[in-house]
Amino acid sequence: MGMLSCTKTEQKLEQKIKADTVITKSTVLLLGPDEQDIEEIKKKQGEDEFYTIVDDANYYSAEIFEAIPTSIFTGYNTIDFPKENYVFDKKKSENKWLVIDYKEGSQPKIYSLVDYYEHITQK
């Protein structure tokens, strides 16, 4: 019995170390691709299409930031929301431009830039 609880504690600590950051307060995070993501997108979509995607992403990011100036741009890949017992892993997401809308006390909601822009402008 004692050994089991010890193992659980170790697992929790290990999980925290793997996360890039820990979020404990309500916030809106805007995530973008890292260098590796960018290379993959360029390979998959082609250079021209990549720049079209970036232009769109920049437009929606700017609009969201204007509507919600407290939103934070971040390059984090692994984000721990310990109060909700939830870890977000961007590597598992197909879309590399994302918005995480986190209200303390509920699971973070993950949106594409376009979906989040529509969500906040249709209120």
Side-chain angles (χ1 to χ4, degrees), residues 35-60:
E35 292 300 314
Q36 192 183 339
D37 296 329
I38 289 169
E39 289 311 308
E40 284 174 24
I41 296 166
K42 281 182 182 174
K43 270 186 211 144
K44 256 189 233 167
Q45 306 289 349
E47 196 98 1
D48 289 347
E49 184 60 24
F50 170 76
Y51 288 108
T52 304
I53 294 168
V54 169
D55 281 347
D56 289 350
N58 287 341
Y59 169 79
Y60 286 111

Side-chain angles (χ1 to χ4, degrees), residues 11-97:
Q11 284 175 334
K12 270 190 178 157
L13 289 174
E14 193 181 309
Q15 186 181 15
K16 276 195 168 62
I17 293 164
K18 280 189 215 156
D20 294 322
T21 192
V22 176
I23 303 290
T24 56
K25 291 186 170 74
S26 298
T27 189
V28 174
L29 300 172
L30 283 82
L31 279 64
D34 58 23
E35 292 300 314
Q36 192 183 339
D37 296 329
I38 289 169
E39 289 311 308
E40 284 174 24
I41 296 166
K42 281 182 182 174
K43 270 186 211 144
K44 256 189 233 167
Q45 306 289 349
E47 196 98 1
D48 289 347
E49 184 60 24
F50 170 76
Y51 288 108
T52 304
I53 294 168
V54 169
D55 281 347
D56 289 350
N58 287 341
Y59 169 79
Y60 286 111
S61 296
E63 290 293 312
I64 290 166
F65 191 70
E66 204 169 287
I68 304 170
T70 55
S71 54
I72 300 166
F73 290 102
T74 176
Y76 292 126
N77 287 312
T78 311
I79 304 169
D80 187 4
F81 298 88
K83 290 182 179 175
E84 314 317 326
N85 204 10
Y86 174 77
V87 177
F88 172 79
D89 183 359
K90 189 172 78 181
K91 297 267 180 251
K92 291 180 181 158
S93 172
E94 192 63 33
N95 188 342
K96 298 306 173 188
W97 282 273

